[in-house]
Amino acid sequence: VYESKNVCMLKMTDKFAETTGVVNWGGGILAIGYDSGSGTWLMGGENGKLNEYTGAHFINRSGDLVSWGFSDVGAIAHNGSYWLIGGSNAKILNRWDGSGSFTDVTSNLVNFGAGIKSMDYKNTTPEYWLIGGVNGSLNKYDGTTWSDLKTGLGFGTDEVTHIISVSYTHLRAH
């Protein structure tokens, strides 16, 4: 299942404690994303902490998040062009192209609960994002249109905690 994609999974209850070199941290790492094109990592954590790792050094990006406050960073993913960063204990979603300003795209979420717990991107035609969260929330974003998939999912009040690109053909929510 993982032969053609670098995968890093973190269990939400177990957090890394070692953060040597990370800028202005002071808390657990809750989400990690990787951009294979640039070799850049983003890692997010408690109280709105966000660091970029270039392979050589860390850059504090916490202050770049828009309308963030102190929400935990609970989900991070990259689609080859831009990052999406989601707040896990507040409904907040930022978009970042990797070099310019961050943009708050929270208002695009449709019928979404109070926190984003997972996301991933399907990079084969048709390409789209799945973004999951509390109260069974699941949105699909195809680059133009945001859609609510919550009703068809049938998770009730359960959280969508994992979305994993299985074969570059299908995304699965759990």
Side-chain angles (χ1 to χ4, degrees):
V1 176
Y2 305 119
E3 62 274 356
S4 62
K5 183 175 181 182
N6 292 334
V7 174
C8 178
M9 294 178 65
L10 301 176
K11 188 173 179 176
M12 292 303 291
T13 56
D14 298 326
K15 300 175 234 164
F16 290 108
E18 176 58 46
T19 55
T20 303
V22 180
V23 180
N24 194 27
W25 203 260
I29 296 172
L30 302 173
I32 297 176
Y34 181 68
D35 172 8
S36 60
S38 69
T40 300
W41 296 84
L42 276 187
M43 56 192 70
E46 298 170 341
N47 299 313
K49 300 297 184 190
L50 184 68
N51 270 211
E52 174 184 1
Y53 181 64
T54 65
H57 62 278
F58 289 93
I59 302 167
N60 183 2
R61 297 286 181 199
S62 302
D64 297 331
L65 292 164
V66 178
S67 303
W68 202 271
F70 292 101
S71 178
D72 295 345
V73 175
I76 298 173
H78 192 270
N79 71 350
S81 298
Y82 59 88
W83 297 90
L84 287 181
I85 302 114
S88 66
N89 49 358
K91 183 174 72 173
I92 305 170
L93 184 64
N94 274 206
R95 177 179 167 156
W96 183 46
D97 66 7
S99 62
S101 298
F102 285 65
T103 306
D104 182 359
V105 295
T106 307
S107 63
N108 294 314
L109 294 168
V110 181
N111 191 27
F112 210 89
I116 296 169
K117 300 293 184 179
S118 58
M119 65 177 75
D120 207 349
Y121 183 76
K122 181 177 139 331
N123 66 352
T124 57
T125 304
E127 297 179 15
Y128 60 87
W129 290 89
L130 284 183
I131 302 164
V134 300
N135 298 323
S137 298
L138 186 66
N139 273 204
K140 177 182 175 182
Y141 174 55
D142 65 9
T144 304
T145 305
W146 293 78
S147 307
D148 175 21
L149 304 179
K150 182 180 194 172
T151 304
L153 188 61
F155 276 7
T157 60
D158 291 337
E159 294 182 349
V160 179
T161 59
H162 298 82
I163 298 174
I164 301 169
S165 178
V166 176
S167 66
Y168 286 98
T169 303
H170 304 292
L171 290 177
R172 297 193 181 205
H174 298 282

